[in-house]
Amino acid sequence: DQLFQLKFASKQLQRQSKRSQKEIRKEKMKLKKAIEQGNADGARIYAENAIRYQNQGINYLRMSSRIDAVASRLEAAIRMNQVSRVMGNIVTGMDRAMASMDMGKISMIMDKFEQQFEDMDVQSQYVENAMSQTTTLSTPQDQVEGLIQQVATENGLELAETLGLAKAAKEEVPAATEQDELSARLAALKSL
């Protein structure tokens, strides 16, 4: 029952991670629209949201992995208990075989013992591998800038370096008009 609960919790966390991935895609689409519209504040907010969802998804996966590791350990403990009982029966069988000195029985019992030991070794290696795959992650501000740049690049948008705004790469605006627009936007942002 506890093993089932742990596995169920792990699956729920994996589903939450997938939901976070969907939210990331939504936020990236909003980010793209904000870049196209020249909305620097909106673009920054959507990029931060996307990164927050990304970290949330990674945290869900990390917790799922840890719960899987605990479930594996619990399962290994249950199997070790079973192995212990089987080993006890094997020892009893070995005592009987030794008493009769039947080499065929002794060989068969020893083969069974080795097989049980190998199974136990494989299970413990699996648990160790599951636990060693945990990583840490931090969210620096450069991720926000990188995501904005990535979305702009993927969608053929150019970023205006001084404002953090974008314009469609296909638009061609005369240099003087463009400079006036940029100056007006910069002044508007400074007045906020």
Side-chain angles (χ1 to χ4, degrees):
D1 187 45
Q2 292 172 344
L3 185 61
F4 174 78
Q5 292 296 329
L6 287 171
K7 288 182 179 183
F8 183 72
S10 174
K11 293 291 183 192
Q12 283 182 322
L13 288 169
Q14 289 174 4
R15 279 190 220 111
Q16 288 295 95
S17 176
K18 288 179 184 177
R19 285 188 190 125
S20 292
Q21 294 300 319
K22 288 179 185 177
E23 290 298 323
I24 290 170
R25 287 190 287 278
K26 287 179 185 176
E27 292 298 321
K28 281 186 177 181
M29 291 303 297
K30 292 176 185 177
L31 172 61
K32 176 188 171 200
K33 288 179 184 176
I35 292 172
E36 288 172 343
Q37 295 171 356
N39 181 355
D41 292 334
R44 188 166 298 283
I45 289 169
Y46 295 133
E48 288 172 357
N49 287 346
I51 291 185
R52 183 173 35 86
Y53 282 122
Q54 180 181 10
N55 290 336
Q56 216 172 27
I58 289 170
N59 287 335
Y60 286 139
L61 285 177
R62 186 178 297 128
M63 285 300 297
S64 173
S65 173
R66 288 179 180 165
I67 289 174
D68 281 341
V70 169
S72 293
R73 284 183 178 171
L74 180 60
E75 189 172 10
I78 291 169
R79 290 194 181 176
M80 284 297 290
N81 190 15
Q82 292 170 346
V83 168
S84 296
R85 277 189 250 131
V86 169
M87 287 174 144
N89 293 338
I90 290 172
V91 169
T92 305
M94 285 177 70
D95 286 341
R96 288 187 208 132
M98 293 286 279
S100 67
M101 289 305 283
D102 184 355
M103 293 306 283
K105 280 185 176 179
I106 293 174
S107 176
M108 187 173 71
I109 290 172
M110 290 304 292
D111 289 343
K112 190 173 180 182
F113 180 80
E114 284 182 38
Q115 182 63 38
Q116 292 282 336
F117 188 76
E118 288 174 7
D119 291 347
M120 183 177 64
D121 191 37
V122 168
Q123 289 173 2
S124 64
Q125 284 178 350
Y126 175 77
V127 170
E128 287 174 18
N129 288 340
M131 289 304 291
S132 68
Q133 294 176 358
T134 305
T135 59
T136 59
L137 179 70
S138 61
T139 350
Q141 185 63 28
D142 62 335
Q143 283 185 341
V144 173
E145 299 297 329
L147 181 59
I148 290 173
Q149 182 65 42
Q150 177 189 353
V151 170
T153 303
E154 288 173 356
N155 295 290
L157 302 172
E158 290 181 20
L159 291 175
E161 294 300 323
T162 57
L163 297 177
L165 301 175
K167 59 181 169 94
K170 299 170 188 165
E171 288 182 17
E172 294 184 18
V173 180
T177 308
E178 183 179 341
Q179 187 62 34
D180 291 341
E181 279 183 40
L182 292 177
S183 297
R185 288 181 181 168
L186 179 60
L189 286 174
K190 285 182 179 179
S191 67
L192 293 175

